[in-house]
Amino acid sequence: GDSVTQMEGPVTLSEEAFLTINCTYTATGYPSLFWYVQYPGEGLQLLLKATKADDKGSNKGFEATYRKETTSFHLEKGSVQVSDSAVYFCALSDRGQFYFGTGTSLTVIP
Amino acid sequence: DAGVIQSPRHEVTEMGQEVTLRCKPISGHDYLFWYRQTMMRGLELLIYFNNNVPIDDSGMPEDRFSAKMPNASFSTLKIQPSEPRDSAVYFCASSLGGPNSYEQYFGPGTRLTVT
């Protein structure tokens, strides 16, 4: 069945460092892919999405490209800020089903 | 729109008591999801509804858990009787369904503590 695998955390970076959080997926259909972010004490919020191969989702300086050939949707940001400290979830939807990864905790230190 | 609304935000109860969590989805959304989040198990989908009808409840841990959606603007998740291992944050989410572009909008969660 469908699934999402994302890199384990926690990840700790210095401010202005480059961020990559890896996400790979398994799907039998043509899924849509998402990154959600959860700030401390809050619910998940959609960060970005891509609905077909080669689409690039972007928001707040974050980017992720839907790579069908490598079944990946890695999250990147060129320069992280302290305010980016949160838990990031990769997710997919496919034929009426929705799957979340286990989440990657990011801490950015000044 | 006010977003997904959940109540209460915090609930502390004793083992054996009945607990009812409430959710109001975003108006017009036709899917509603209940999740549980713990440090040990992460985010787990418990059940979801489409047009008020339960579609998949395979994530409901046991018969002590039940969920209803009597109308398009209200859903409840009930635990009876509650146990300490039910302590978690429970999220409700809603979405406007489509074949492949579900974007789920999450509520702020209910933090449940069972002592």
Side-chain angles (χ1 to χ4, degrees):
Chain A
D2 293 11
S3 66
V4 174
T5 303
Q6 60 181 107
M7 66 183 283
E8 302 222 356
V11 175
T12 302
L13 294 174
S14 297
E15 202 165 25
E16 298 184 2
F18 184 85
L19 168 71
T20 300
I21 300 178
N22 290 337
C23 173
T24 58
Y25 68 90
T26 302
T28 51
Y30 299 91
S32 292
L33 301 173
F34 307 84
W35 277 100
Y36 282 79
V37 59
Q38 184 180 29
Y39 298 104
E42 299 183 10
L44 280 70
Q45 304 172 23
L46 180 66
L47 180 60
L48 54 83
K49 70 173 184 177
T51 58
K52 62 182 188 296
D54 300 325
D55 269 2
K56 176 185 284 188
S58 61
N59 186 25
K60 299 181 182 180
F62 291 90
E63 293 183 339
T65 300
Y66 188 141
R67 301 282 188 203
K68 188 176 179 182
E69 63 275 14
T70 54
T71 62
S72 65
F73 193 56
H74 304 321
L75 182 68
E76 297 182 337
K77 186 174 185 181
S79 176
V80 293
Q81 305 300 312
V82 172
S83 57
D84 294 327
S85 298
V87 180
Y88 293 83
F89 293 87
C90 186
L92 73 82
S93 73
D94 182 22
R95 297 171 299 158
Q97 298 295 316
F98 212 95
Y99 304 88
F100 280 91
T102 53
T104 301
S105 175
L106 170 67
T107 300
V108 180
I109 54 177
Chain B
D1 201 310
V4 175
I5 298 173
Q6 292 186 245
S7 65
R9 292 295 309 276
H10 302 273
E11 177 79 37
V12 180
T13 191
E14 292 183 348
M15 182 174 63
Q17 297 298 306
E18 178 180 294
V19 175
T20 299
L21 311 182
R22 297 173 176 78
C23 175
K24 176 179 169 57
I26 292 173
S27 177
H29 282 189
D30 55 352
Y31 281 78
L32 184 138
F33 306 81
W34 281 101
Y35 290 90
R36 177 172 67 178
Q37 186 178 43
T38 62
M39 290 294 291
M40 291 295 293
R41 296 185 297 271
L43 191 66
E44 302 173 279
L45 176 63
L46 301 177
I47 185 172
Y48 75 92
F49 297 82
N50 177 217
N51 291 324
N52 313 337
V53 176
I55 302 301
D56 184 351
D57 65 354
S58 58
M60 296 286 262
E62 48 198 277
D63 292 344
R64 297 185 296 107
F65 286 69
S66 62
K68 295 182 179 179
M69 192 166 186
N71 58 63
S73 59
F74 184 66
S75 177
T76 59
L77 178 67
K78 184 177 294 186
I79 308 172
Q80 167 62 23
S82 58
E83 296 183 2
R85 60 195 169 113
D86 301 330
S87 298
V89 181
Y90 291 82
F91 289 104
C92 175
S94 69
S95 71
L96 185 60
N100 249 10
S101 62
Y102 297 119
E103 299 176 32
Q104 295 188 29
Y105 294 81
F106 281 73
T110 295
R111 181 173 295 277
L112 173 64
T113 303
V114 183
T115 61

